[in-house]
Amino acid sequence: MKNRIRALVQKYEQGKDVYRTARFNETQVRNEFLDPLFEILGWDIRNAAGKNTNEREVLLEEPLKANAASHTKKPDYTFRLFGERKFFLEAKKEIHHKKRFPSGHSTKVANDK
């Protein structure tokens, strides 16, 4: 398991110049990194077991509604054990912005958007 996670980290390190651009979107983050990571950790992301929706370990974009007055929310991943929700994961791509300082110098600042 450690070697597979290490390989995923190395993949990111080798391609981070591309992964940090606007061309690399949230769906690609999920396909290239999040899905493989959680599969390595033992979660059945793609429902390889062929379970019915109410028995699956992971639901993708499951519609959730807190109350009748609120909008439906769809987290990217809902992780469940024995049909009970355990946690949600919302995927975001990495974005870097240049921030200007009064002296005219600039620096890269990471932002989650």
Side-chain angles (χ1 to χ4, degrees):
M1 181 181 345
K2 281 184 183 180
N3 289 338
R4 292 173 61 201
I5 292 173
R6 186 174 290 119
L8 207 53
V9 171
Q10 287 173 345
K11 176 182 175 179
Y12 173 79
E13 288 296 328
Q14 291 170 351
K16 66 183 171 186
D17 291 339
V18 172
Y19 302 142
R20 291 178 172 177
T21 66
R23 295 184 315 247
F24 196 76
N25 63 41
E26 184 178 301
T27 299
Q28 291 169 303
V29 170
R30 291 171 59 178
N31 289 331
E32 296 293 322
F33 296 102
L34 295 177
D35 289 0
L37 174 64
F38 283 98
E39 287 173 350
I40 291 167
L41 296 175
W43 290 94
D44 188 3
I45 298 290
R46 291 179 175 83
N47 191 30
K51 294 182 178 181
N52 293 326
T53 301
N54 61 346
E55 298 173 342
R56 293 179 184 177
E57 289 182 1
V58 182
L59 296 175
L60 303 176
E61 299 191 18
E62 175 192 22
L64 303 174
K65 201 164 192 175
N67 60 47
S70 69
H71 296 287
T72 301
K73 304 215 183 253
K74 293 182 181 181
D76 291 316
Y77 301 84
T78 302
F79 290 86
R80 307 179 326 163
L81 288 175
F82 307 109
E84 183 179 323
R85 292 181 187 117
K86 295 299 179 182
F87 65 96
F88 303 101
L89 178 68
E90 186 65 29
K92 296 294 177 199
K93 68 179 187 167
E94 182 178 4
I95 297 177
H96 283 259
H97 298 280
K98 290 222 178 214
K99 184 174 181 179
R100 292 264 172 214
F101 290 94
S103 65
H105 294 88
S106 67
T107 186
K108 284 186 178 180
V109 178
N111 229 346
D112 289 336
K113 289 200 177 187

